Amino acid sequence: QVQLVESGGGLVQPGGSLRLSCAASGSPFRFNDMGWYRQAPGQQRELVATITSGGSTNYADSKKGRFTISRDNAKNTVYLQMNSLKPEDTAVYYCNVLLGGRSYWGQGTQVTVSS
């Protein structure tokens, strides 16, 4: 059973930084794409960034330059470094991984950007 454990969310002031982590377990095989999505209150879940097992990245246009996705295949962990955070970045951030054609989601971690 694939499990995803997210960490690193919290309250941060505008202009601050946070680093999210998501550790995946439960598979003897390397996970395919890993990524982050977010959902703000009253809005649909949206893509933040994804990264392939080979390290190729894809970002939503509005996240380019401020957010950086990375992964450690040895640890089955994906990271999201978020800089210059804005109040509109406030949302629940979800980790997502693909394995064998199936998609798995984490429980979500709250990020709140407020002074």
Side-chain angles (χ1 to χ4, degrees):
Q1 181 74 13
V2 173
Q3 291 187 324
L4 304 177
V5 178
E6 298 150 334
S7 60
L11 174 65
V12 63
Q13 293 186 342
S17 299
L18 282 175
R19 189 191 193 207
L20 306 182
S21 299
C22 173
S25 63
S27 171
F29 304 106
R30 178 173 292 182
F31 292 93
N32 303 123
D33 289 8
M34 304 180 81
W36 292 94
Y37 292 72
R38 71 184 189 185
Q39 187 168 18
Q43 297 186 20
Q44 291 187 333
R45 192 170 298 188
E46 64 173 0
L47 169 72
V48 177
T50 62
I51 184 168
T52 68
S53 58
S56 296
T57 58
N58 176 55
Y59 293 90
D61 287 342
S62 62
K63 315 304 183 294
K64 290 180 180 178
R66 295 192 300 122
F67 292 7
T68 303
I69 191 170
S70 61
R71 66 188 283 174
D72 184 334
N73 288 330
K75 297 180 179 180
N76 283 329
T77 299
V78 61
Y79 305 96
L80 185 67
Q81 177 67 43
M82 303 185 293
N83 299 326
S84 302
L85 283 162
K86 306 174 182 180
E88 50 264 43
D89 293 317
T90 295
V92 178
Y93 284 71
Y94 294 92
C95 174
N96 175 265
V97 301
L98 298 179
L99 177 68
R102 294 187 62 181
S103 178
Y104 299 88
W105 293 91
Q107 79 284 357
T109 185
Q110 177 70 45
V111 171
T112 302
V113 185
S114 175
S115 56

